[in-house]
Amino acid sequence: MVSSCYITKNIDTILCGAGSPAVAVWRRRDCFILLTGIFLAGLSLPAISAASGVNSAKAQKDVPWLLKKAKTALQKGKLADAATAFYEIYLNFPAAKAADNALWQTAKLREKIAVNQRHADFDKVRALFQSYINNFPKSARIPEAYLGLALSYYHMRFYIEASNYLKLFIEEYPSSPLLLQAKKLQGETLMKTGREAEAEKLFQAMLKDKKKANRTAGNIAMGDLRYVQGRYRLAKNFYQMVILGQPNYYLMDPEILRKAGMADLKFGKIARGRQELYHYLSLERGASHRDEVLAALANSYYLSGAYQMANTLFEQVIKDGAPGTRAVLLANLRLAQYNDGPAFKKSKWSRPQDLADVSGDEPYLAVLNGHHNGFMAQEARYGLFMRYKARKDLADAYDIGRSFLRNSAAQRGGSLENKRVGNILLYLAQEFLRAKKYQKIYDLYFVDYRHVNDFPDGRLLYMVGQAMEALGLYNQAAVVYYRALKWPLADKDRADLYFRRAGVYLILKNYAAADRLLTWLRKLYKGTGRIGEVFFYSGRLAAAKDDNKSAMDYYQQAVFSLKSPALMPEYAGHAMGMALKLGLGGRAYDIWREAGKVGGIKPAAYQNWAVRVGDVLRQTGLWDKAAKIYKAGLAGDLPAKGRQAQLCNLYLGDTLLALGNKTAAVTSYKKAAAGGDADIIELAKERLRQNDMAAQLRELKKAVGK
């Protein structure tokens, strides 16, 4: 915030060249000006030759006419026309007696015009004050000119230059009636450049001044400093000292009510803050910040859930305010949030906002075009994030979400900011995990570690761990999974995390860690539906340590404990594979039957296992079980055709033949010979030929025997 002197309202005094008032009235305006540089003093004005002289006759004629023109323009409120008339006097008659006052009034009028413009040309104002200093160095107005020069630099955001001129003013003119204003502006300049300690030192010195006016200004300045620092309660304390010490001070400077009210709203004294701001608005001199104050009041109603009152005030701000100002941007932003938010209570006539309509993005984008920091920018970013999310626009949601995270100062706790951080992180992680964009999740974790690592929801780190696991970053995944257990997780997710962690330990061959974890899990999930998964990973650990007997036991327990068909293909596969490796056909047969009861294995794969298990049963002489598994491999909805079906028929024939059921064996061989695999057909035909030869041989023996 910064102040600027008004020109005197007495037009006759202006025209006759009187000096500026001892104490200027200061107004505060927010200015957003982007300039490319500072021109050398006076270069923006036409050069004036001192040797040109003055045409006395022309001056006597034109100067009074120009003065009258300026007076008329001022009476009509046309400040720019008045400034032009004054400047013509100085430009055309620089040696005239009226030139000094003409240039001065030009500078002051241009300053007033600039203060009331959003994109003002303060470089022109600066050049006018610099020209005055250069051309009238002995004028009594030189101190105020230096102050005007500093103020111009301040508005141009050249705070270092402004500070240098203010320092010069304070040192050179310690008895000036403008010293108090210079110190206040110097303090604000120091605050703008991050030199808050120096500003506080300056303000503290003002608090110890003998003059009451200086002490009052010091209290207000300290309040401003604490407000900027976000220490709103302390800011209000300083403002309150002024209000209590001088109950009628607000009549002279209504700004004290505005500042006190704003501070109260910030630290939760809502009723008192509103009362002070309404009081401010009721004062005739309190209208300079009307839009800003109305917006603050409306925002307080919005945050407390009084949306209808808030909307009424916001609409008034939009109606009365200048487009692009902070107050109007806030009003449009809040109305957009209200219309977009499904949770807000609205009238039955309100039409729901279509979040897919890109035109609804405009209020949010308008804020971000002019404000990159502060709560308004964050509100706009989150509003856009929710719109992109509704459109399933992951790319834009990612970009704006990351921007929100970078600018967030959220700490641990249940604040709205924390919840929004969580919503963004969880959504992005879930969508990238679903799209298998694991590197995006890793980048999110790496860049926004401060949010991710301390986010009080285990789901986030759980998903980050999965991404790292997919990227082959097993050591990092193990650490992240462990950290995730610190935070709340649904039982299903927590169990899956345990098993993923066990799997990572096995990949890393960290068998000691895996054993500790699985030993504890066998106790934790004993008698529950998750014990089968514990047995499975225990089997994998035993197999990795070459303890195949224990692995076989764990795998079999896993299959018989499992209730989830989705996991059966993997679990039964490991169990039957280990049984076949150990030559335990009978146990493989039991596992195969149990897997069939639970389901989950695709018919072709289940039939393939029937062939493999049946082979071991035949090789170990377990003909009955072999016959049962081959028959089962051809029953129900299992394929009746195909290579595996042919093999089942072929080996079933061998088994039945071994059991003495020659007729059934021949039937099976014929079915095998009717299949599509040429090799199996040949084997089946060979067995049929051998069977025919054996039959003929038996007949021959009978005939010879007779």
Side-chain angles (χ1 to χ4, degrees):
M1 296 183 291
V2 65
S3 302
S4 173
C5 293
Y6 283 116
I7 63 169
T8 176
K9 295 181 179 178
N10 190 324
I11 297 174
D12 293 326
T13 302
I14 292 176
L15 298 178
C16 67
S20 299
V23 180
V25 180
W26 292 66
R27 291 180 63 177
R28 299 181 180 270
R29 294 283 182 186
D30 289 330
C31 299
F32 304 92
I33 309 169
L34 181 62
L35 298 175
T36 58
I38 306 175
F39 297 113
L40 295 174
L43 285 184
S44 60
L45 300 175
I48 300 173
S49 172
S52 62
V54 178
N55 185 323
S56 298
K58 186 173 179 58
Q60 290 176 3
K61 177 183 177 182
D62 290 354
V63 170
W65 178 78
L66 288 169
L67 288 173
K68 182 179 180 181
K69 182 178 180 181
K71 179 178 180 179
T72 301
L74 286 172
Q75 288 173 335
K76 294 179 178 180
K78 297 181 178 181
L79 303 187
D81 291 346
T84 300
F86 279 127
Y87 187 65
E88 286 182 22
I89 295 172
Y90 165 71
L91 183 64
N92 296 311
F93 311 105
K97 184 178 179 181
D100 178 326
N101 187 59
L103 181 57
W104 178 254
Q105 299 305 335
T106 301
K108 296 301 290 180
L109 283 168
R110 289 298 177 190
E111 180 186 51
K112 182 176 182 181
I113 293 169
V115 165
N116 289 282
Q117 288 179 339
R118 185 162 176 252
H119 297 291
D121 185 2
F122 270 97
D123 191 43
K124 181 183 290 186
V125 178
R126 176 205 63 78
L128 286 166
F129 280 120
Q130 186 67 66
S131 183
Y132 187 86
I133 293 169
N134 293 343
N135 288 283
F136 304 103
K138 296 182 180 181
S139 170
R141 292 168 168 152
I142 289 299
E144 188 175 353
Y146 275 116
L147 196 58
L149 195 62
L151 189 61
S152 297
Y153 278 124
Y154 184 98
H155 278 295
M156 294 161 65
R157 296 187 178 181
F158 295 131
Y159 300 120
I160 295 176
E161 289 81 358
S163 181
N164 290 338
Y165 276 103
L166 289 166
K167 183 178 180 181
L168 174 66
F169 182 96
I170 293 169
E171 291 175 353
E172 293 294 324
Y173 307 108
S175 59
S176 170
L178 300 173
L179 183 64
L180 179 59
Q181 286 88 335
K183 286 183 176 181
K184 289 169 63 178
L185 184 58
Q186 175 71 318
E188 292 180 10
T189 303
L190 292 171
M191 288 161 59
K192 289 287 187 182
T193 54
R195 296 151 67 186
E196 293 180 358
E198 294 179 54
E200 183 167 352
K201 183 178 180 181
L202 177 65
F203 297 152
Q204 290 289 357
M206 293 169 66
L207 290 175
K208 299 175 183 177
D209 198 283
K210 294 180 180 179
K211 295 182 179 179
K212 185 176 182 180
N214 289 352
R215 294 196 302 273
T216 299
N219 272 314
I220 296 173
M222 280 299 298
D224 294 345
L225 175 60
R226 294 293 182 250
Y227 190 95
V228 169
Q229 292 172 335
R231 302 164 70 180
Y232 304 115
R233 187 181 296 274
L234 290 177
K236 177 56 190 291
N237 289 343
F238 281 108
Y239 299 143
Q240 194 71 6
M241 289 181 194
V242 176
I243 293 172
L244 293 177
Q246 303 175 65
N248 293 324
Y249 182 82
Y250 72 90
L251 295 174
M252 180 172 55
D253 183 9
E255 288 297 294
I256 193 66
L257 288 175
R258 182 181 66 84
K259 293 178 178 182
M262 291 290 198
D264 275 329
L265 290 183
K266 287 291 187 180
F267 77 88
K269 297 296 182 181
I270 306 300
R272 187 171 66 187
R274 289 173 182 168
Q275 182 180 8
E276 289 161 335
L277 293 179
Y278 279 124
H279 189 181
Y280 171 82
L281 291 173
S282 71
L283 300 173
E284 182 180 355
R285 292 176 60 193
S288 59
H289 291 278
R290 175 181 171 80
D291 295 339
E292 177 188 346
V293 172
L294 280 176
L297 285 166
N299 199 49
S300 75
Y301 288 114
Y302 181 93
L303 294 175
S304 62
Y307 300 116
Q308 295 305 318
M309 183 65 179
N311 291 351
T312 299
L313 290 175
F314 279 135
E315 288 167 359
Q316 189 66 41
V317 171
I318 294 170
K319 178 182 177 182
D320 297 341
T325 60
R326 188 178 186 281
V328 172
L329 289 174
L330 176 61
N332 283 319
L333 171 68
R334 288 305 196 197
L335 290 175
Q337 288 177 307
Y338 176 77
N339 290 327
D340 285 356
F344 296 127
K345 292 182 179 179
K346 304 171 185 175
S347 70
K348 60 183 180 181
W349 295 282
S350 298
R351 295 179 61 186
Q353 183 75 13
D354 181 9
L355 299 186
D357 182 2
V358 295
S359 64
D361 298 350
E362 182 55 36
Y364 304 104
L365 294 172
V367 171
L368 293 176
N369 286 337
H371 298 267
H372 300 289
N373 300 312
F375 92 92
M376 271 177 57
Q378 285 296 82
E379 293 285 327
R381 290 185 183 103
Y382 192 73
L384 284 173
F385 170 79
M386 295 302 291
R387 288 184 140 261
Y388 296 148
K389 178 182 176 182
R391 297 176 203 159
K392 302 186 185 307
D393 184 349
L394 183 56
D396 283 341
Y398 175 73
D399 290 339
I400 200 70
R402 287 288 303 278
S403 179
F404 183 94
L405 296 174
R406 282 195 301 272
N407 289 277
S408 175
Q411 303 294 328
R412 294 185 188 180
S415 68
L416 179 61
E417 181 88 350
N418 288 77
K419 292 177 181 178
R420 288 176 170 178
V421 165
N423 289 341
I424 292 171
L425 289 171
L426 286 173
Y427 171 76
L428 294 178
Q430 287 168 351
E431 293 304 309
F432 285 135
L433 194 63
R434 183 179 290 114
K436 297 183 179 181
K437 294 183 178 180
Y438 305 119
Q439 188 62 45
K440 286 283 191 181
I441 299 177
Y442 178 81
D443 293 343
L444 194 69
Y445 175 74
F446 182 78
V447 176
D448 295 296
Y449 177 82
R450 67 188 177 101
H451 293 306
V452 177
N453 195 53
D454 288 330
F455 182 60
D457 188 329
R459 287 179 297 167
L460 184 58
L461 288 176
Y462 168 52
M463 289 186 285
V464 171
Q466 292 178 61
M468 289 181 170
E469 191 178 345
L471 291 170
L473 304 173
Y474 299 114
N475 281 303
Q476 294 92 323
V479 172
V480 169
Y481 282 145
Y482 180 76
R483 289 175 177 168
L485 293 170
K486 175 182 178 182
W487 306 110
L489 266 171
D491 291 341
K492 181 177 179 296
D493 292 338
R494 183 174 291 272
D496 185 62
L497 187 149
Y498 282 137
F499 300 132
R500 286 182 174 276
R501 188 173 152 214
V504 168
Y505 286 147
L506 291 173
I507 293 172
L508 294 172
K509 297 183 179 180
N510 189 348
Y511 301 141
D515 187 44
R516 285 194 299 271
L517 175 60
L518 291 168
T519 299
W520 181 71
L521 291 178
R522 285 195 294 273
K523 296 177 181 177
L524 178 66
Y525 289 117
K526 183 179 180 179
T528 70
R530 309 309 295 254
I531 191 62
E533 294 165 87
V534 182
F535 285 141
F536 173 71
Y537 281 97
S538 298
R540 284 185 57 189
L541 174 61
K545 295 164 68 175
D546 293 324
D547 184 0
N548 292 335
K549 183 179 181 303
S550 296
M552 180 70 249
D553 292 338
Y554 280 129
Y555 284 147
Q556 186 165 0
Q557 289 181 82
V559 171
F560 279 82
S561 301
L562 191 63
K563 305 300 180 185
S564 171
L567 297 174
M568 186 56 77
E570 182 181 14
Y571 287 19
H574 277 77
M576 287 187 284
M578 182 59 71
L580 298 181
K581 180 179 180 180
L582 297 176
L584 302 174
R587 294 180 70 173
Y589 171 75
D590 294 338
I591 293 167
W592 184 85
R593 289 186 60 193
E594 182 63 23
K597 293 177 183 177
V598 176
I601 303 178
K602 292 182 179 179
Y606 192 60
Q607 191 176 62
N608 180 56
W609 276 113
V611 173
R612 293 179 60 185
V613 173
D615 288 349
V616 173
L617 292 172
R618 285 188 301 111
Q619 292 165 12
T620 55
L622 298 173
W623 301 108
D624 288 332
K625 286 187 176 181
K628 289 179 180 178
I629 200 168
Y630 288 135
K631 288 178 180 179
L634 294 166
D637 60 351
L638 297 181
K641 296 180 180 181
R643 190 172 190 278
Q644 298 304 318
Q646 278 184 275
L647 287 173
C648 276
N649 279 307
L650 180 68
Y651 295 145
L652 177 59
D654 293 345
T655 304
L656 292 172
L657 193 62
L659 290 170
N661 193 344
K662 298 175 183 178
T663 303
V666 170
T667 301
S668 294
Y669 287 144
K670 288 180 178 179
K671 289 180 179 179
D677 189 289
D679 292 335
I680 299 174
I681 291 172
E682 188 59 36
L683 289 172
K685 287 181 177 180
E686 178 62 28
R687 283 168 167 73
L688 286 170
R689 284 195 295 269
Q690 289 177 358
N691 185 66
D692 289 343
M693 290 174 61
Q696 292 173 7
L697 183 60
R698 285 193 298 273
E699 290 297 327
L700 181 60
K701 285 182 179 181
K702 288 180 181 180
V704 172
K706 287 182 178 179

